[in-house]
Amino acid sequence: MAGKSEGGDPIKLQKALKDAHYPSSRDDLVSVAKHNKADGETVQRISGIDDKQYNGPDEVQKAVFRSS
């Protein structure tokens, strides 16, 4: 229930998006994740969210784990 969602890891997502500035687009978030050396699964999950502006990490996390 809490924590992981279908193999996803919210902690990995938080680390991947460290130092992200909001609002950010999906492409900006993917760039931040790659810069932070996130693993391929995490980058792929971020790449799979809707292409829009995200106003904060909570909004990104909801989008990532909703699209799992």
Side-chain angles (χ1 to χ4, degrees):
M1 204 181 327
K4 296 184 180 186
S5 173
E6 296 193 16
D9 187 342
I11 302 299
K12 280 186 185 179
L13 182 64
Q14 289 174 6
K15 289 179 180 178
L17 299 178
K18 182 179 178 236
D19 299 326
H21 298 283
Y22 295 96
S24 283
S25 69
R26 177 189 63 195
D27 291 343
D28 291 339
L29 295 169
V30 168
S31 294
V32 168
K34 288 179 179 178
H35 176 79
N36 287 333
K37 306 213 183 318
D39 63 52
E41 178 188 355
T42 302
V43 172
Q44 186 174 27
R45 285 178 172 272
I46 297 167
S47 297
I49 63 177
D50 291 337
D51 187 13
K52 65 173 202 149
Q53 292 289 307
Y54 292 89
N55 293 313
D58 290 343
E59 202 173 302
V60 176
Q61 186 165 325
K62 285 177 189 173
V64 166
F65 294 111
R66 184 179 323 125
S67 68
S68 294

